[in-house]
Amino acid sequence: MSRASVAVPRRSGALRPPTLQTLPVAVTANVAKVRGRTRSTIMAVVKADGYGHGAVTVARAAVAAGAGWLGTTSVAEASALRGAGLTVPILTWLHPGGVDAETAAAARVDVAVGSVDELGALLAQAAPMLRIHLHVDTGMSRGGCPRAQWDELIGLARRGQQARRVRVVGMMGHLPLADRADPAANASAVADMRAAQQAARLAGLGSPLAHLAATSGTLTDPATHFGMVRVGAGLVGIDPSETVELHGASRLTAPIVHTAAVEAGTAVGYGGTYVTDRATHLSVLPLGYADGIPRERLPQAGVEILGRRFPVAGRVSMDQIVIDTGALSFPVGTSATVFGPDGGATPTVQEWARWAGTIPHTIVTGIGPRVKRSIA
Ligand SMILES: *Cc1c(COP(=O)(O)O)cnc(C)c1O
């Protein structure tokens, strides 16, 4: 048999790869919704690569829409934003590798300090003057200075400020219960924040910019707003309090890479957990749990193909999922939408979270590095 007689379908070069598309217009609209709920300064929190949407992309859109500050967890993330030309103040608060005061100062990044030891270590570094925010524990017990040590922290900060080693520009707390959308649940944290402000004032630190609320507090409880609110999830369309309709800011698509017509009684995937109950068509998408598709999920999990929703059939593999398209057979290369803001048959991130028994944040931050990124 000659090679030329074998018809090899040409396809791989023509397929559009799995893509996570970020929609900056949604970020713009979400900042406008937040602005409708508060007069305080808005900090756009873009940690974890902008909740998986691209930190620089989300930051640019948020700042253009009126956010006055940016927030990250590390100096490295903040430096990347500076490198992209963002000039608004940036606060970083977790410091996974400790704070390099020199780098922070060079990038003009504010640093939150959550303990006496942390501040002591900063002051011990020979570095230019740093702008700091005192991070006080307002009920999270997760970072933040415990109340019993506030006076010590504030005293050390004042001495550092007198020695021109630091400037205390902010005071930060965090709300553990704001997702309940019940102001009563936030009351003790609000009282703690006021007490911390008062302690700073009495110690001669003046009135640093106070900030306590994240997305849910911002959307549901004005008493938590203080001088600034820190909004992350809300930028990308997630309201953890589930009280406000925001705009989904990403769309995950993948091409069909393989199809098959199968008989009733066909087992699909590892373990044969899904058995077709009729003759049907199967389509394979090149996305699996390594790409962020949750392996644990309810049977109704599905994707959109040409305006209709079809279920995921059988187990999610590392690199692929199978879709049961029933009577319909789609050509290889047809695009499927795993999630997006489009409505209709297209699943939302919130639906995927429900199917997987998790929160939307883990869906959007979990999309793996093999998925191509694009900006709409
Ligand atoms: C992540 C984070 C935020 C933003 O929270 P969202 O609910 O995503 O708006 C605010 N503050 C701190 C300290 C955070 O870690």
Side-chain angles (χ1 to χ4, degrees):
M1 189 169 74
S2 83
R3 269 163 184 265
S5 70
V6 180
V8 178
R10 286 191 13 179
R11 53 172 230 189
S12 58
L15 295 186
R16 300 181 66 200
T19 300
L20 183 72
Q21 185 181 43
T22 297
L23 314 163
V25 292
V27 177
T28 305
N30 291 329
V31 172
K33 284 219 172 186
V34 169
R35 176 47 76 215
R37 301 274 170 140
T38 186
R39 300 161 75 120
S40 300
T41 298
I42 297 170
M43 172 191 287
V45 177
V46 295
K47 63 193 184 191
D49 198 25
Y51 294 50
H53 291 64
V56 170
T57 304
V58 175
R60 283 189 180 138
V63 168
W69 282 63
L70 293 167
T72 64
T73 52
S74 70
V75 174
E77 289 173 317
S79 297
L81 297 173
R82 284 281 178 258
L86 288 147
T87 56
V88 300
I90 305 178
L91 172 66
T92 176
W93 53 78
L94 195 59
H95 331 310
V99 173
D100 175 356
E102 183 97 45
T103 310
R108 289 166 293 113
V109 174
D110 293 14
V111 170
V113 176
S115 71
V116 174
D117 285 351
E118 204 172 17
L119 180 53
L122 262 191
L123 292 170
Q125 295 184 42
M129 192 180 73
L130 256 195
R131 285 161 46 105
I132 63 170
H133 298 227
L134 300 180
H135 181 185
V136 294
D137 185 7
T138 55
M140 279 292 279
S141 305
R142 180 203 75 175
C145 182
R147 188 158 188 168
Q149 277 113 56
W150 286 2
D151 285 343
E152 204 182 335
L153 179 70
I154 287 169
L156 186 60
R158 196 198 46 190
R159 291 197 295 284
Q161 181 157 296
Q162 281 166 345
R164 300 189 159 278
R165 304 297 320 286
V166 294
R167 193 145 74 83
V168 181
V169 298
M171 184 152 257
M172 163 177 179
H174 201 36
L175 295 169
L177 304 176
D179 293 0
R180 293 185 188 167
D182 174 10
N186 302 326
S188 84
V190 169
D192 283 350
M193 201 66 203
R194 294 219 177 98
Q197 284 184 297
Q198 173 76 353
R201 212 172 299 130
L202 288 175
L205 287 174
S207 302
L209 177 63
H211 43 102
L212 176 65
T215 296
S216 2
T218 303
L219 294 176
T220 65
D221 185 1
T224 64
H225 292 183
F226 290 87
M228 180 159 71
V229 295
R230 304 184 306 264
V231 178
L235 299 176
V236 299
I238 298 168
D239 169 17
S241 74
E242 297 183 349
T243 61
V244 177
E245 196 80 31
L246 297 169
H247 303 269
S250 56
R251 181 185 289 117
L252 178 61
T253 57
I256 294 173
V257 292
H258 176 81
T259 62
V262 298
E263 298 302 321
T266 304
V268 179
Y270 287 121
T273 57
Y274 183 93
V275 179
T276 59
D277 59 1
R278 68 221 183 294
T280 189
H281 294 87
L282 303 175
S283 286
V284 176
L285 303 180
L287 286 174
Y289 57 79
D291 306 295
I293 305 296
R295 185 171 180 280
E296 304 306 323
R297 56 174 183 82
L298 297 174
Q300 58 263 47
V303 304
E304 179 269 351
I305 305 172
L306 295 178
R308 294 185 51 179
R309 183 168 307 175
F310 300 99
V312 176
R315 291 211 180 125
V316 172
S317 297
M318 185 180 291
D319 314 303
Q320 40 197 321
I321 50 177
V322 180
I323 310 300
D324 185 341
T325 61
L328 298 178
S329 168
F330 296 104
V332 162
T334 305
S335 181
T337 305
V338 177
F339 61 71
D342 315 290
T346 302
T348 60
V349 170
Q350 282 78 3
E351 279 183 286
W352 270 102
R354 208 152 46 240
W355 295 333
T358 184
I359 55 174
H361 313 56
T362 69
I363 303 293
V364 291
T365 57
I367 304 305
R370 296 188 297 192
V371 175
K372 183 179 171 242
R373 264 61 175 180
S374 77
I375 303 170

